Amino acid sequence: MTTTFICLELRRHFRDYVSVFFIAVLPAFFYLIFGASQSYKSESAGHGNVAMYIMISMAAYGAVTATTGIGGMAAVERMQGWGRQLGLTPLTDAGFVAMKATVALVFAAIPIALIFILGVFTGASGEWSAWILSSIAVLVGAAVFSVYGLMFGLAFRSEAAVGAASGSLVVLAFLGNIFIPLSGTMLAIAKFTPLYGYVALARYPLTEGVLIDSNGNPLPAEPLWVPMLNLSVWAVIFVTLSTYLVKRGRGRQ
């Protein structure tokens, strides 16, 4: 039965062409514009080139957009009565979570696969280990942001709130050193934002922690524990707030 629900959920989400566009096509377009079409794409960046550096960044942005949207809609659906309908079926709460997690990971894999394939054909290059480890880090790390979407859905209980959660990722991406290289005060601020640790971990197999400032100059390598701590702390914050919102919602019933 879980397989049937997963297939139905995937079919339903694939029919939402606008969401699919923002999840897959838009990040791929960003990669082509800011990475593949630029003259500096072949310049060295760690164990690869700049095109691969930008490819990883755009894949990460697309993946978190996917998991945030699906995580938020899961919360809204449960609170709007879909949970009671599912209560009439053999699907357990654990099964529901597993189903949504599977759907979120499938959708997160779409922009990753699309952008990495584009990277192969547009000059992105790097060691094979960087390709494999970065793709895994992008996919696994994106799961944290399904809880981010869940938090918004629980807090505001509307589809508009889920859209706002996905939209807020644009701002967080700028602050998190995804779209443009930051330096100085802005880079110091970035290290405390949610997307910074995630994308830094995704790039780590390529760069080994070396950052690039706004002028294209390399900065000293950053220890691995910095992005790991950032992502871990934000994961705890998202889970804690989501748990509180679930308890608050039950208290109102």
Side-chain angles (χ1 to χ4, degrees):
M1 171 161 286
T2 301
T3 303
T4 302
F5 273 119
I6 290 173
C7 292
L8 289 173
E9 281 288 297
L10 288 172
R11 189 181 307 169
R12 180 169 69 89
H13 284 292
F14 274 118
R15 286 200 298 264
D16 187 351
Y17 302 119
V18 175
S19 294
V20 172
F21 174 82
F22 281 102
I23 288 170
V25 179
L26 187 61
F29 175 74
F30 284 162
Y31 164 68
L32 292 175
I33 295 297
F34 300 117
S37 64
Q38 299 298 321
S39 59
Y40 50 73
K41 71 175 185 179
S42 298
E43 293 183 12
S44 177
H47 298 293
N49 61 11
V50 172
M52 185 171 179
Y53 182 92
I54 297 173
M55 178 193 75
I56 295 169
S57 303
M58 294 303 104
Y61 174 68
V64 297
T65 301
T67 55
T68 295
I70 291 174
M73 286 306 301
V76 173
E77 289 167 4
R78 296 285 285 188
M79 290 183 293
Q80 290 181 344
W82 182 231
R84 289 191 293 272
Q85 295 294 323
L86 290 179
L88 301 175
T89 72
L91 187 67
T92 63
D93 287 342
F96 177 80
V97 172
M99 175 189 69
K100 286 294 187 179
T102 301
V103 172
L105 288 177
V106 169
F107 266 79
I110 293 172
I112 298 171
L114 176 59
I115 294 170
F116 272 57
I117 290 171
L118 286 174
V120 171
F121 291 102
T122 56
S125 67
E127 296 181 358
W128 67 267
S129 58
W131 283 83
I132 294 172
L133 294 174
S134 290
S135 62
I136 293 172
V138 170
L139 183 62
V140 174
V144 172
F145 290 87
S146 63
V147 188
Y148 176 75
L150 180 67
M151 182 180 68
F152 267 78
L154 291 168
F156 300 104
R157 305 188 176 202
S158 71
E159 294 182 11
V162 178
S166 298
S168 69
L169 291 176
V170 178
V171 178
L172 292 176
F174 276 105
L175 293 175
N177 207 31
I178 290 182
F179 289 148
I180 56 174
L182 302 175
S183 57
T185 302
M186 289 303 300
L187 180 59
I189 294 172
K191 294 183 179 185
F192 294 93
T193 61
L195 281 175
Y196 178 85
Y198 166 60
V199 76
L201 280 175
R203 292 169 177 159
Y204 211 92
L206 175 69
T207 65
E208 292 187 343
V210 175
L211 300 173
I212 300 174
D213 67 16
S214 54
N215 296 317
N217 301 314
L219 298 172
E222 185 174 66
L224 181 59
W225 66 265
V226 174
M228 290 185 66
L229 179 63
N230 173 283
L231 188 60
S232 299
V233 169
W234 280 107
V236 170
I237 291 172
F238 294 156
V239 169
T240 301
L241 289 174
S242 296
T243 303
Y244 165 75
L245 290 168
V246 167
K247 292 179 179 179
R248 188 185 70 173
R250 287 175 178 171
R252 289 177 176 176
Q253 297 175 354

